[in-house]
Short mmCIF file of all heavy atoms in Angstrom, two decimals:
data_model
loop_
_atom_site.label_atom_id
_atom_site.label_comp_id
_atom_site.label_asym_id
_atom_site.label_seq_id
_atom_site.Cartn_x
_atom_site.Cartn_y
_atom_site.Cartn_z
N THR G 1336 -42.39 149.83 166.65
CA THR G 1336 -41.42 148.78 166.38
C THR G 1336 -40.19 149.13 167.13
O THR G 1336 -39.34 149.91 166.48
CB THR G 1336 -41.25 148.56 164.95
OG1 THR G 1336 -40.85 149.94 164.46
CG2 THR G 1336 -42.42 148.11 164.26
N VAL G 1337 -40.05 148.81 168.30
CA VAL G 1337 -38.78 149.13 169.11
C VAL G 1337 -37.54 148.41 168.46
O VAL G 1337 -36.55 149.00 168.37
CB VAL G 1337 -39.06 148.84 170.54
CG1 VAL G 1337 -37.70 149.04 171.29
CG2 VAL G 1337 -40.02 149.63 171.24
N ASN G 1338 -37.76 147.18 168.04
CA ASN G 1338 -36.62 146.52 167.36
C ASN G 1338 -37.21 145.54 166.35
O ASN G 1338 -37.32 144.41 166.56
CB ASN G 1338 -35.62 145.95 168.34
CG ASN G 1338 -34.31 145.61 167.57
OD1 ASN G 1338 -34.33 145.38 166.48
ND2 ASN G 1338 -33.31 145.67 168.47
N ALA G 1339 -37.39 146.07 165.13
CA ALA G 1339 -38.06 145.29 164.15
C ALA G 1339 -37.17 144.14 163.73
O ALA G 1339 -37.64 142.94 163.51
CB ALA G 1339 -38.30 146.13 162.86
N LEU G 1340 -35.85 144.29 163.60
CA LEU G 1340 -34.95 143.23 163.14
C LEU G 1340 -34.94 142.10 164.01
O LEU G 1340 -35.14 140.99 163.57
CB LEU G 1340 -33.50 143.72 163.02
CG LEU G 1340 -32.40 142.79 162.84
CD1 LEU G 1340 -32.64 142.05 161.51
CD2 LEU G 1340 -31.05 143.34 162.83
N SER G 1341 -34.92 142.21 165.35
CA SER G 1341 -34.80 141.12 166.32
C SER G 1341 -36.12 140.45 166.25
O SER G 1341 -36.12 139.14 166.45
CB SER G 1341 -34.44 141.66 167.65
OG SER G 1341 -35.51 142.36 168.16
N GLU G 1342 -37.25 141.01 166.00
CA GLU G 1342 -38.53 140.40 166.11
C GLU G 1342 -38.74 139.34 164.95
O GLU G 1342 -39.13 138.29 165.14
CB GLU G 1342 -39.67 141.36 166.14
CG GLU G 1342 -39.81 142.09 167.39
CD GLU G 1342 -40.75 143.27 167.38
OE1 GLU G 1342 -41.54 143.36 166.48
OE2 GLU G 1342 -40.69 144.08 168.35
N VAL G 1343 -38.39 139.85 163.71
CA VAL G 1343 -38.43 138.94 162.54
C VAL G 1343 -37.48 137.79 162.70
O VAL G 1343 -37.77 136.81 162.47
CB VAL G 1343 -38.19 139.72 161.29
CG1 VAL G 1343 -38.27 138.76 160.08
CG2 VAL G 1343 -39.21 140.96 161.17
N ALA G 1344 -36.19 138.26 163.15
CA ALA G 1344 -35.19 137.15 163.17
C ALA G 1344 -35.48 136.18 164.13
O ALA G 1344 -35.20 134.91 164.02
CB ALA G 1344 -33.77 137.85 163.43
N ALA G 1345 -36.01 136.60 165.36
CA ALA G 1345 -36.35 135.71 166.33
C ALA G 1345 -37.45 134.72 165.86
O ALA G 1345 -37.43 133.48 166.28
CB ALA G 1345 -36.86 136.41 167.62
N LEU G 1346 -38.39 135.07 165.09
CA LEU G 1346 -39.35 134.20 164.54
C LEU G 1346 -38.70 133.14 163.80
O LEU G 1346 -39.10 131.87 163.86
CB LEU G 1346 -40.32 134.94 163.81
CG LEU G 1346 -41.39 135.61 164.40
CD1 LEU G 1346 -42.33 136.51 163.49
CD2 LEU G 1346 -42.39 134.66 165.19
N MET G 1347 -37.75 133.43 163.00
CA MET G 1347 -37.04 132.44 162.13
C MET G 1347 -36.00 131.69 162.94
O MET G 1347 -35.51 130.65 162.55
CB MET G 1347 -36.30 133.06 160.96
CG MET G 1347 -37.20 133.89 160.08
SD MET G 1347 -36.29 134.59 158.67
CE MET G 1347 -37.70 135.41 157.75
N GLY G 1348 -35.74 132.08 164.17
CA GLY G 1348 -34.63 131.55 164.96
C GLY G 1348 -35.02 130.42 165.75
O GLY G 1348 -34.11 129.87 166.50
N ASP G 1349 -36.14 129.95 165.67
CA ASP G 1349 -36.62 128.72 166.54
C ASP G 1349 -36.52 127.61 165.59
O ASP G 1349 -36.98 127.65 164.43
CB ASP G 1349 -38.05 128.95 167.02
CG ASP G 1349 -38.50 127.61 167.59
OD1 ASP G 1349 -38.24 127.48 168.74
OD2 ASP G 1349 -39.36 126.91 166.93
N PRO G 1350 -35.94 126.54 165.98
CA PRO G 1350 -35.72 125.34 165.21
C PRO G 1350 -37.03 124.92 164.58
O PRO G 1350 -37.02 124.43 163.36
CB PRO G 1350 -35.13 124.33 166.15
CG PRO G 1350 -34.46 125.10 167.21
CD PRO G 1350 -35.29 126.25 167.42
N ALA G 1351 -38.02 124.76 165.24
CA ALA G 1351 -39.35 124.19 164.82
C ALA G 1351 -39.86 125.15 163.60
O ALA G 1351 -40.24 124.73 162.48
CB ALA G 1351 -40.39 124.08 165.80
#
Side-chain angles (χ1 to χ4, degrees):
Chain G
T1336 54
V1337 173
N1338 196 332
L1340 170 60
S1341 70
E1342 283 167 20
V1343 182
L1346 278 175
M1347 300 183 177
D1349 174 79

